């Protein structure tokens, strides 16, 4: 049995995945400097994965007789992932990515818990699959963080 909590979490995660893809794309475009290249490449690779996550979430909503939201439902929340004024500030982008990944991990853990309680193994499986990807992203950017210590 699906609960309002599950559909709310799926909907919020769906929107968040699109916001993340947008911010990753923007930062991959605007970052400058030789130290930025590896981070830009990683962001560019992660964009498609974030869009794939949104597709999985949207399909699950549809399976639950809910409609994925359109752009009018969008309210930006990733303030720390906005492009930096100094386009060589790779550190701020790394920190923003880490915060976005932590938020995503928290969302998917909450979704797993809600799905388990509601006996909804399909939603639980979707959330576990995406959680694994988000944890891998976090690990990768923790590595970048070690290379770019905060001043």
């Amino acid at each position: 049995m699906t609960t309002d909590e599950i559909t709310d979490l799926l909907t919020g995660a769906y929107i968040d995945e699109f916001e993340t893809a947008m911010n990753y794309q923007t930062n991959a475009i605007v970052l400058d400097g030789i130290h930025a290249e590896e981070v830009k490449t990683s962001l560019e690779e992660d964009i498609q994965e974030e869009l794939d996550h949104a597709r999985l979430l949207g399909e699950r909503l549809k399976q639950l007789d809910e409609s994925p939201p359109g752009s009018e439902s969008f309210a930006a929340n990733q303030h720390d992932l906005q492009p930096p004024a100094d386009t060589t500030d790779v550190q701020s982008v790394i920190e923003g990515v880490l915060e976005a990944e932590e938020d995503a991990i928290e969302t998917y853990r909450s979704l797993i818990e809600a799905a388990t309680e509601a006996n909804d193994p399909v939603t639980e499986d979707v959330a576990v699959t995406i959680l694994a990807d988000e944890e891998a992203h976090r690990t990768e950017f923790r590595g970048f963080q070690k290379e770019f210590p905060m001043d």
Side-chain angles (χ1 to χ4, degrees):
M1 169 177 237
T2 304
T3 66
D4 288 342
E5 180 183 12
I6 289 173
T7 56
D8 289 348
L9 286 166
L10 285 167
T11 300
Y14 180 83
I15 291 169
D16 290 348
E17 293 291 351
F18 277 110
E19 182 178 12
T20 299
M22 176 186 279
N23 286 324
Y24 282 10
Q25 180 69 70
T26 301
N27 282 300
I29 291 168
V30 304
L31 282 179
D32 290 317
I34 58 171
H35 299 296
E37 289 308 311
E38 192 171 352
V39 171
K40 288 173 64 166
T41 298
S42 178
L43 290 171
E44 289 168 352
E45 291 170 356
D46 290 346
I47 292 164
Q48 188 57 55
E49 197 164 270
E50 301 299 332
L51 293 173
D52 289 343
H53 294 165
R55 182 185 48 76
L56 287 170
L57 296 162
E59 288 173 355
R60 185 62 186 143
L61 282 163
K62 177 69 173 168
Q63 292 164 354
L64 297 171
D65 291 326
E66 297 288 333
S67 179
S71 62
E72 289 183 352
S73 300
F74 180 79
N77 293 309
Q78 295 177 346
H79 306 291
D80 291 338
L81 195 50
Q82 298 306 300
D86 174 0
T87 60
T88 64
D89 186 3
V90 178
Q91 295 166 333
S92 71
V93 173
I94 292 168
E95 292 298 318
V97 169
L98 285 170
E99 183 164 323
E101 295 300 342
E102 288 293 340
D103 289 346
I105 288 166
E106 182 179 321
T107 295
Y108 292 115
R109 287 184 177 164
S110 295
L111 185 54
I112 291 165
E113 183 178 322
T116 300
E117 289 174 9
N119 193 26
D120 180 350
V122 176
T123 298
E124 182 179 357
D125 185 56
V126 168
V128 167
T129 298
I130 297 172
L131 176 62
D133 291 341
E134 302 297 0
E135 288 183 349
H137 292 164
R138 179 183 62 187
T139 299
E140 180 181 24
F141 274 82
R142 281 180 175 167
F144 290 145
Q145 185 180 44
K146 291 175 186 175
E147 294 177 19
F148 297 95
M150 298 300 285
D151 294 331

